[in-house]
Amino acid sequence: MIGKHIGKFLLDSGDPLVVAADRVATVRTENNLLHALTLLSSLGYSSVPVLDVEGRLKGQITLAGIISGIKAIPTYDWDSLQTKTVSEVMDSNPGRVHENAELEDVLHLLVNNNYVSVVDKKGIFLGIVTRKGILRRVNRLAHE
Amino acid sequence: MIGKHIGKFLLDSGDPLVVAADRVATVRTENNLLHALTLLSSLGYSSVPVLDVEGRLKGQITLAGIISGIKAIPTYDWDSLQTKTVSEVMDSNPGRVHENAELEDVLHLLVNNNYVSVVDKKGIFLGIVTRKGILRRVNRLAHE
Ligand SMILES: Nc1ncnc2c1ncn2[C@@H]1O[C@@H]2COP(=O)(O)O[C@H]3[C@@H](O)[C@H](n4cnc5c(N)ncnc54)O[C@@H]3COP(=O)(O)O[C@H]2[C@H]1O
Ligand SMILES: Nc1ncnc2c1ncn2[C@@H]1O[C@@H]2COP(=O)(O)O[C@H]3[C@@H](O)[C@H](n4cnc5c(N)ncnc54)O[C@@H]3COP(=O)(O)O[C@H]2[C@H]1O
């Protein structure tokens, strides 16, 4: 029974579970790495979704992935930040769900990811569900 | 009543909630930023705890914090990665709890942090509780 209870509780709360696309920082596949590095470090996000020119989800990029992507001998090749593109270092198979996904699928993906991207049937990016969204609800559940 | 139920459920599970200190990657206050950047990007962690020579928790450092810390005009001052130290860019007030903390305090801190550090009465670092640890249990709760 608690399975159904927690499902209803996690979905019923006032604030929406999905952070809508217009409030999510993203980068494009063809952006250079310096653009992505500056965006991520100035906002303080460790990872953001990667979209193509039509707004479809193509991947996800992390700061760690950018830094590893320019690793060279003896130190990092900082100049290649301006010549390499996001599509060269991104993870092209990020956690994603469709807009009518079951809560259990979302919870399952959030065990190993800080967020999951939400897409429509055509793959257009609609927003993200973050671990914070779920943990805020769990926090409330624990205080009941 | 669910408040007590979820508390008991989150604590009772087989695997420990705390990742012990010997399995947590950390850096020292006096390390240079290049050391921290290489550790974080090669392991893929966005942030790790910062300890002093006696093993006391002194702060937490993020990849975003390292990159912002060497920002200069017109681009980043990559050479300062070898001259600046971790203590110059770390957050010196990271989320922390004592080893006998209430679950509710841990849950509260994990809403806005990917992990919280656990310390003893003298401030010695004992390990971390990660969002994954809590979400793994929530995932199980949802499948009951
Ligand atoms: N600029 C900022 N303002 C306020 N809080 C901040 C913040 N940067 C980080 N945090 C806090 O730290 C947590 C971990 O952030 P992280 O960047 O590793 O991981 C983030 C980031 O990779 C991504 N994310 C969250 N909000 C985003 C947004 N508006 N645009 C793009 N990516 C976002 O989702 C992950 C999980 O986010 P979540 O909210 O669960 O958890 C966030 C949030 O609680
Ligand atoms: N090298 C790796 N191996 C396996 N999974 C990885 C991984 N790097 C990242 N992940 C996955 O991505 C999540 C977010 O990692 P992040 O580095 O932003 O955030 C991490 C990282 O800042 C820190 N962390 C976790 N384990 C650590 C460790 N052994 N040593 C140092 N810091 C750790 O705690 C945060 C939350 O960790 P959590 O496990 O909840 O969540 C992790 C984990 O599910």
Coordinates of all heavy atoms in Angstrom, one line a residue, chain A residues 35-109:
Chain A
H35 N 32.5 28.0 -24.5 CA 31.2 28.5 -24.2 C 30.5 27.6 -23.1 O 30.0 28.2 -22.1 CB 30.3 28.5 -25.5 CG 28.9 28.7 -25.2 ND1 28.3 30.0 -25.0 CD2 27.8 27.8 -25.1 CE1 27.0 29.9 -24.8 NE2 26.7 28.6 -24.8
A36 N 30.6 26.3 -23.3 CA 30.0 25.4 -22.3 C 30.7 25.5 -20.9 O 30.0 25.6 -19.9 CB 30.1 24.0 -22.8
L37 N 32.0 25.6 -20.9 CA 32.8 25.7 -19.7 C 32.4 27.0 -18.9 O 32.1 27.0 -17.7 CB 34.3 25.8 -20.0 CG 35.2 25.8 -18.8 CD1 35.5 24.4 -18.3 CD2 36.5 26.4 -19.2
T38 N 32.3 28.1 -19.7 CA 31.9 29.4 -19.0 C 30.5 29.4 -18.5 O 30.3 29.8 -17.3 CB 32.1 30.5 -20.1 OG1 33.4 30.4 -20.6 CG2 31.9 31.9 -19.4
L39 N 29.6 28.8 -19.2 CA 28.2 28.7 -18.8 C 28.1 27.9 -17.5 O 27.5 28.3 -16.5 CB 27.3 28.1 -19.9 CG 25.8 28.0 -19.5 CD1 25.0 29.2 -19.8 CD2 25.2 26.8 -20.2
L40 N 28.6 26.7 -17.5 CA 28.5 25.8 -16.4 C 29.2 26.4 -15.2 O 28.6 26.3 -14.1 CB 29.2 24.4 -16.7 CG 28.4 23.5 -17.7 CD1 29.3 22.3 -18.2 CD2 27.2 22.9 -17.0
S41 N 30.4 26.9 -15.3 CA 31.1 27.4 -14.1 C 30.5 28.6 -13.6 O 30.5 28.8 -12.4 CB 32.6 27.6 -14.4 OG 32.8 28.5 -15.5
S42 N 29.9 29.5 -14.4 CA 29.3 30.7 -13.9 C 28.0 30.4 -13.2 O 27.7 31.0 -12.2 CB 29.2 31.8 -15.0 OG 28.3 31.3 -16.0
L43 N 27.2 29.5 -13.7 CA 26.0 29.1 -13.1 C 26.1 28.2 -11.9 O 25.3 28.1 -11.0 CB 25.0 28.5 -14.1 CG 24.5 29.4 -15.2 CD1 23.6 28.6 -16.1 CD2 23.6 30.5 -14.6
G44 N 27.3 27.4 -11.9 CA 27.5 26.5 -10.8 C 26.9 25.2 -11.0 O 26.8 24.3 -10.1
Y45 N 26.4 24.9 -12.2 CA 25.8 23.6 -12.5 C 26.9 22.6 -13.0 O 27.8 23.0 -13.7 CB 24.8 23.7 -13.6 CG 23.5 24.4 -13.2 CD1 23.0 25.4 -14.0 CD2 22.9 24.1 -12.0 CE1 21.8 26.1 -13.6 CE2 21.7 24.8 -11.6 CZ 21.2 25.7 -12.4 OH 20.1 26.4 -12.0
S46 N 26.9 21.4 -12.6 CA 27.9 20.4 -12.9 C 27.6 19.8 -14.3 O 28.4 19.2 -15.0 CB 28.1 19.3 -11.9 OG 26.8 18.7 -11.6
S47 N 26.3 19.9 -14.7 CA 25.9 19.3 -16.0 C 24.7 20.0 -16.6 O 23.8 20.4 -15.8 CB 25.6 17.8 -15.8 OG 25.0 17.2 -16.9
V48 N 24.6 20.1 -17.9 CA 23.3 20.6 -18.5 C 23.0 19.8 -19.7 O 23.9 19.2 -20.3 CB 23.5 22.1 -18.9 CG1 23.7 23.0 -17.7 CG2 24.5 22.3 -19.9
P49 N 21.7 19.8 -20.2 CA 21.3 19.1 -21.4 C 21.9 19.8 -22.6 O 22.2 21.0 -22.6 CB 19.8 19.2 -21.4 CG 19.4 19.6 -20.0 CD 20.6 20.4 -19.4
V50 N 22.1 19.0 -23.7 CA 22.6 19.5 -25.0 C 21.5 19.3 -26.0 O 20.9 18.2 -26.1 CB 23.8 18.7 -25.4 CG1 24.3 19.2 -26.8 CG2 25.0 18.8 -24.4
L51 N 21.1 20.4 -26.7 CA 20.1 20.3 -27.7 C 20.6 20.6 -29.1 O 21.7 21.2 -29.3 CB 19.0 21.4 -27.4 CG 18.5 21.5 -25.9 CD1 17.4 22.6 -25.8 CD2 17.9 20.1 -25.5
D52 N 19.8 20.2 -30.1 CA 20.2 20.6 -31.5 C 19.4 21.8 -31.9 O 18.6 22.4 -31.1 CB 20.0 19.4 -32.5 CG 18.5 19.1 -32.7 OD1 17.6 19.9 -32.2 OD2 18.2 18.1 -33.3
V53 N 19.6 22.3 -33.1 CA 19.0 23.6 -33.5 C 17.5 23.5 -33.5 O 16.8 24.5 -33.4 CB 19.6 24.0 -34.9 CG1 19.2 23.0 -36.0 CG2 19.2 25.4 -35.3
E54 N 16.9 22.3 -33.6 CA 15.4 22.2 -33.6 C 14.9 22.0 -32.1 O 13.7 21.8 -31.9 CB 15.0 21.0 -34.4 CG 14.6 21.3 -35.9 CD 15.6 20.6 -36.8 OE1 15.9 19.4 -36.6 OE2 16.0 21.3 -37.8
G55 N 15.8 22.0 -31.1 CA 15.3 21.9 -29.8 C 15.2 20.4 -29.3 O 14.5 20.1 -28.3
R56 N 15.8 19.5 -30.1 CA 15.7 18.1 -29.7 C 16.8 17.8 -28.7 O 17.9 18.3 -28.9 CB 15.8 17.2 -30.9 CG 14.4 17.0 -31.6 CD 14.6 15.8 -32.6 NE 15.6 16.2 -33.6 CZ 15.3 16.6 -34.8 NH1 14.0 16.8 -35.2 NH2 16.3 16.9 -35.6
L57 N 16.6 16.9 -27.7 CA 17.6 16.5 -26.8 C 18.6 15.6 -27.5 O 18.3 14.6 -28.2 CB 17.0 15.7 -25.7 CG 18.0 15.2 -24.6 CD1 18.6 16.3 -23.8 CD2 17.4 14.1 -23.7
K58 N 19.9 16.0 -27.5 CA 21.0 15.3 -28.2 C 22.0 14.7 -27.2 O 22.7 13.8 -27.6 CB 21.7 16.2 -29.1 CG 21.0 16.5 -30.4 CD 20.8 15.2 -31.2 CE 20.0 15.4 -32.4 NZ 19.4 14.1 -32.9
G59 N 22.0 15.2 -26.0 CA 23.0 14.6 -25.0 C 23.0 15.4 -23.7 O 22.1 16.2 -23.4
Q60 N 24.1 15.2 -23.0 CA 24.3 16.0 -21.7 C 25.7 16.2 -21.6 O 26.5 15.3 -21.9 CB 23.6 15.2 -20.6 CG 24.4 15.0 -19.3 CD 23.5 14.2 -18.3 OE1 22.3 14.1 -18.4 NE2 24.2 13.7 -17.3
I61 N 26.1 17.4 -21.1 CA 27.6 17.6 -20.9 C 27.9 18.0 -19.5 O 27.1 18.6 -18.8 CB 28.0 18.8 -21.9 CG1 29.5 18.8 -22.0 CG2 27.4 20.1 -21.5 CD1 30.1 19.5 -23.2
T62 N 29.0 17.5 -19.0 CA 29.5 17.8 -17.6 C 30.8 18.6 -17.7 O 31.6 18.5 -18.6 CB 29.7 16.5 -16.8 OG1 30.8 15.9 -17.5 CG2 28.5 15.6 -16.8
L63 N 31.0 19.4 -16.6 CA 32.3 20.0 -16.5 C 33.5 19.0 -16.5 O 34.5 19.2 -17.2 CB 32.4 20.9 -15.2 CG 32.0 22.3 -15.3 CD1 32.0 22.9 -13.9 CD2 32.9 23.1 -16.2
A64 N 33.3 17.9 -15.8 CA 34.3 16.9 -15.8 C 34.6 16.4 -17.2 O 35.8 16.2 -17.6 CB 33.9 15.8 -14.9
G65 N 33.6 16.2 -18.0 CA 33.7 15.7 -19.4 C 34.5 16.7 -20.2 O 35.3 16.3 -21.1
I66 N 34.2 18.0 -20.0 CA 34.9 19.0 -20.8 C 36.4 19.0 -20.5 O 37.3 19.0 -21.4 CB 34.4 20.5 -20.5 CG1 32.9 20.6 -21.0 CG2 35.2 21.5 -21.2 CD1 32.2 21.8 -20.6
I67 N 36.8 19.0 -19.2 CA 38.2 19.0 -18.7 C 38.9 17.7 -19.2 O 40.0 17.8 -19.8 CB 38.3 19.1 -17.2 CG1 37.6 20.4 -16.7 CG2 39.7 19.1 -16.8 CD1 38.1 21.7 -17.1
S68 N 38.2 16.6 -19.1 CA 38.9 15.3 -19.5 C 39.0 15.3 -21.0 O 40.0 14.8 -21.6 CB 38.0 14.1 -19.2 OG 37.6 14.1 -17.9
G69 N 38.1 16.0 -21.7 CA 38.1 16.1 -23.2 C 39.3 16.9 -23.8 O 39.6 16.8 -25.0
I70 N 39.9 17.7 -22.9 CA 41.1 18.5 -23.5 C 42.4 18.0 -22.8 O 43.4 18.7 -22.9 CB 40.9 20.0 -23.3 CG1 40.7 20.3 -21.8 CG2 39.7 20.5 -24.1 CD1 40.8 21.8 -21.5
K71 N 42.3 16.9 -22.2 CA 43.5 16.4 -21.5 C 44.6 16.1 -22.6 O 44.3 15.5 -23.6 CB 43.2 15.1 -20.7 CG 44.3 14.7 -19.8 CD 43.7 14.2 -18.4 CE 44.8 13.8 -17.5 NZ 45.9 14.7 -17.4
A72 N 45.8 16.5 -22.3 CA 46.9 16.2 -23.3 C 48.2 16.0 -22.4 O 48.2 16.1 -21.2 CB 47.1 17.4 -24.2
I73 N 49.3 15.7 -23.1 CA 50.6 15.5 -22.4 C 51.4 16.8 -22.6 O 51.4 17.3 -23.7 CB 51.4 14.3 -23.0 CG1 50.5 13.0 -23.1 CG2 52.7 14.1 -22.3 CD1 50.1 12.5 -21.7
P74 N 52.0 17.5 -21.6 CA 52.0 17.1 -20.2 C 50.9 17.7 -19.4 O 50.6 17.2 -18.4 CB 53.4 17.7 -19.7 CG 53.5 19.0 -20.5 CD 52.9 18.7 -21.9
T75 N 50.2 18.7 -20.0 CA 49.0 19.3 -19.2 C 47.9 19.4 -20.2 O 47.9 18.9 -21.3 CB 49.4 20.5 -18.5 OG1 48.2 21.1 -17.9 CG2 50.0 21.6 -19.4
Y76 N 46.9 20.2 -19.8 CA 45.7 20.3 -20.6 C 45.9 21.2 -21.8 O 46.7 22.1 -21.7 CB 44.5 20.8 -19.8 CG 44.1 19.9 -18.6 CD1 44.8 20.0 -17.4 CD2 43.2 18.9 -18.8 CE1 44.4 19.1 -16.4 CE2 42.9 18.0 -17.8 CZ 43.5 18.1 -16.6 OH 43.2 17.3 -15.6
D77 N 45.3 20.9 -23.0 CA 45.4 21.7 -24.2 C 44.3 22.8 -24.1 O 43.2 22.6 -24.7 CB 45.3 20.8 -25.4 CG 45.3 21.6 -26.7 OD1 45.6 22.9 -26.6 OD2 45.1 21.1 -27.7
W78 N 44.5 23.9 -23.4 CA 43.5 24.9 -23.2 C 43.0 25.5 -24.5 O 41.9 25.9 -24.6 CB 44.0 25.9 -22.2 CG 44.5 25.4 -20.9 CD1 45.8 25.3 -20.5 CD2 43.7 24.7 -19.9 NE1 45.9 24.7 -19.3 CE2 44.6 24.3 -18.9 CE3 42.4 24.4 -19.8 CZ2 44.2 23.6 -17.8 CZ3 42.0 23.7 -18.7 CH2 42.9 23.3 -17.7
D79 N 43.9 25.6 -25.5 CA 43.5 26.2 -26.8 C 42.4 25.4 -27.4 O 41.6 26.0 -28.2 CB 44.7 26.4 -27.7 CG 45.8 27.3 -27.1 OD1 45.4 28.2 -26.3 OD2 46.9 27.2 -27.5
S80 N 42.4 24.1 -27.2 CA 41.4 23.3 -27.9 C 40.0 23.6 -27.4 O 39.0 23.1 -28.0 CB 41.7 21.9 -27.8 OG 41.6 21.4 -26.5
L81 N 39.9 24.3 -26.3 CA 38.5 24.7 -25.8 C 37.8 25.5 -26.9 O 36.5 25.5 -26.9 CB 38.6 25.5 -24.5 CG 38.9 24.8 -23.2 CD1 39.2 25.8 -22.1 CD2 37.8 23.8 -22.8
Q82 N 38.6 26.2 -27.7 CA 37.9 27.1 -28.7 C 37.7 26.3 -30.0 O 36.9 26.8 -30.9 CB 38.7 28.3 -28.9 CG 39.0 29.0 -27.6 CD 39.3 30.5 -27.7 OE1 38.6 31.2 -28.5 NE2 40.2 31.0 -26.9
T83 N 38.4 25.2 -30.2 CA 38.3 24.5 -31.5 C 37.4 23.3 -31.4 O 36.7 22.8 -32.3 CB 39.6 24.1 -32.0 OG1 40.3 23.3 -30.9 CG2 40.5 25.3 -32.3
K84 N 37.3 22.6 -30.2 CA 36.5 21.4 -30.0 C 35.0 21.8 -29.7 O 34.8 22.9 -29.1 CB 37.0 20.6 -28.9 CG 38.2 19.8 -29.2 CD 38.5 18.7 -28.2 CE 39.7 17.8 -28.6 NZ 39.9 16.7 -27.7
T85 N 34.1 21.0 -30.2 CA 32.7 21.3 -30.0 C 32.0 20.4 -28.9 O 32.6 19.4 -28.5 CB 31.8 21.1 -31.2 OG1 31.9 19.7 -31.6 CG2 32.3 22.0 -32.4
V86 N 30.9 20.9 -28.4 CA 30.2 20.1 -27.3 C 29.9 18.7 -27.8 O 30.0 17.7 -27.0 CB 28.9 20.9 -27.0 CG1 27.9 20.0 -26.3 CG2 29.1 22.1 -26.2
S87 N 29.5 18.5 -29.1 CA 29.1 17.2 -29.5 C 30.3 16.2 -29.4 O 30.1 15.0 -29.4 CB 28.6 17.2 -31.0 OG 29.6 17.7 -31.8
E88 N 31.5 16.7 -29.4 CA 32.7 15.8 -29.3 C 32.9 15.2 -27.9 O 33.6 14.2 -27.8 CB 34.0 16.6 -29.7 CG 34.0 16.9 -31.2 CD 35.3 17.8 -31.6 OE1 36.4 17.2 -31.4 OE2 35.1 19.0 -31.9
V89 N 32.4 15.9 -26.9 CA 32.7 15.4 -25.5 C 31.5 15.0 -24.8 O 31.5 14.5 -23.6 CB 33.6 16.3 -24.7 CG1 34.9 16.6 -25.3 CG2 32.8 17.6 -24.3
M90 N 30.3 15.3 -25.3 CA 29.0 15.1 -24.6 C 28.7 13.6 -24.4 O 29.2 12.8 -25.2 CB 27.9 15.8 -25.2 CG 27.4 15.1 -26.5 SD 26.1 16.0 -27.3 CE 25.7 14.9 -28.7
D91 N 27.9 13.2 -23.4 CA 27.4 11.9 -23.3 C 26.1 11.9 -24.2 O 25.2 12.6 -23.9 CB 27.0 11.7 -21.8 CG 26.1 10.5 -21.6 OD1 25.9 9.7 -22.6 OD2 25.5 10.4 -20.5
S92 N 26.1 11.1 -25.2 CA 25.0 11.1 -26.2 C 23.9 10.2 -25.8 O 23.0 10.0 -26.6 CB 25.5 10.9 -27.6 OG 26.3 9.7 -27.6
N93 N 23.9 9.6 -24.6 CA 22.8 8.8 -24.2 C 22.3 9.1 -22.7 O 22.4 8.3 -21.8 CB 23.2 7.3 -24.3 CG 22.0 6.4 -24.3 OD1 20.9 6.9 -24.4 ND2 22.2 5.1 -24.1
P94 N 21.9 10.4 -22.5 CA 21.6 10.8 -21.1 C 20.2 10.2 -20.7 O 19.4 9.8 -21.5 CB 21.4 12.3 -21.3 CG 20.9 12.5 -22.7 CD 21.6 11.5 -23.5
G95 N 20.1 10.2 -19.3 CA 18.8 9.7 -18.8 C 17.7 10.6 -19.3 O 17.7 11.8 -19.2
R96 N 16.6 9.9 -19.9 CA 15.5 10.7 -20.4 C 14.2 9.9 -20.2 O 14.2 8.7 -20.1 CB 15.7 11.0 -21.9 CG 15.4 9.8 -22.8 CD 15.6 10.1 -24.3 NE 17.0 10.2 -24.6 CZ 17.5 10.8 -25.7 NH1 16.7 11.3 -26.6 NH2 18.8 10.9 -25.9
V97 N 13.1 10.7 -20.1 CA 11.8 10.0 -20.0 C 10.8 10.8 -20.8 O 11.1 12.0 -21.2 CB 11.2 10.0 -18.5 CG1 12.0 9.1 -17.6 CG2 11.2 11.4 -17.9
H98 N 9.7 10.2 -21.2 CA 8.6 10.9 -21.9 C 7.7 11.6 -20.9 O 7.7 11.2 -19.8 CB 7.9 9.9 -22.8 CG 8.7 9.4 -24.0 ND1 8.9 10.2 -25.1 CD2 9.6 8.4 -24.1 CE1 9.7 9.6 -25.9 NE2 10.2 8.5 -25.3
E99 N 7.0 12.5 -21.4 CA 6.2 13.4 -20.5 C 5.1 12.6 -19.8 O 4.7 13.0 -18.7 CB 5.5 14.5 -21.3 CG 4.9 14.0 -22.6 CD 4.5 15.2 -23.5 OE1 4.1 16.3 -23.0 OE2 4.6 15.1 -24.8
N100 N 4.7 11.4 -20.2 CA 3.7 10.6 -19.5 C 4.4 9.4 -18.7 O 3.7 8.4 -18.5 CB 2.6 10.2 -20.4 CG 3.2 9.4 -21.6 OD1 4.4 9.3 -21.7 ND2 2.3 8.9 -22.5
A101 N 5.6 9.6 -18.4 CA 6.4 8.5 -17.8 C 5.8 8.1 -16.4 O 5.3 9.0 -15.7 CB 7.8 8.8 -17.7
E102 N 6.0 6.9 -16.0 CA 5.6 6.5 -14.6 C 6.6 7.1 -13.6 O 7.8 7.2 -13.9 CB 5.7 5.0 -14.5 CG 4.7 4.2 -15.3 CD 3.3 4.3 -14.7 OE1 3.2 4.4 -13.5 OE2 2.3 4.3 -15.5
L103 N 6.1 7.5 -12.5 CA 7.0 8.0 -11.4 C 8.1 7.0 -11.1 O 9.3 7.4 -10.9 CB 6.2 8.3 -10.2 CG 7.0 8.8 -9.0 CD1 7.5 10.2 -9.2 CD2 6.2 8.7 -7.7
E104 N 7.8 5.7 -11.2 CA 8.8 4.7 -10.8 C 10.0 4.8 -11.8 O 11.1 4.5 -11.4 CB 8.2 3.3 -10.7 CG 7.4 3.2 -9.5 CD 6.7 1.9 -9.3 OE1 7.1 0.9 -9.9 OE2 5.7 1.8 -8.5
D105 N 9.7 5.1 -13.0 CA 10.8 5.2 -14.0 C 11.7 6.4 -13.7 O 12.9 6.3 -13.8 CB 10.3 5.3 -15.4 CG 9.5 4.0 -15.8 OD1 9.8 2.9 -15.3 OD2 8.6 4.1 -16.7
V106 N 11.1 7.5 -13.3 CA 11.8 8.7 -13.0 C 12.7 8.4 -11.7 O 13.9 8.7 -11.7 CB 10.8 9.9 -12.7 CG1 11.6 11.1 -12.3 CG2 10.0 10.2 -14.0
L107 N 12.1 7.9 -10.7 CA 12.8 7.6 -9.5 C 14.0 6.7 -9.7 O 15.1 6.9 -9.2 CB 11.9 6.9 -8.4 CG 10.9 7.8 -7.6 CD1 10.1 6.9 -6.7 CD2 11.7 8.8 -6.9
H108 N 13.8 5.7 -10.6 CA 14.8 4.7 -10.9 C 16.0 5.4 -11.5 O 17.2 5.2 -11.1 CB 14.3 3.7 -11.8 CG 15.2 2.5 -12.1 ND1 15.6 1.6 -11.1 CD2 15.9 2.2 -13.2 CE1 16.4 0.8 -11.6 NE2 16.7 1.1 -12.9
L109 N 15.8 6.3 -12.5 CA 16.9 7.1 -13.1 C 17.6 8.0 -12.2 O 18.7 8.3 -12.4 CB 16.3 7.8 -14.4 CG 16.1 6.9 -15.6 CD1 15.3 7.7 -16.7 CD2 17.4 6.4 -16.2

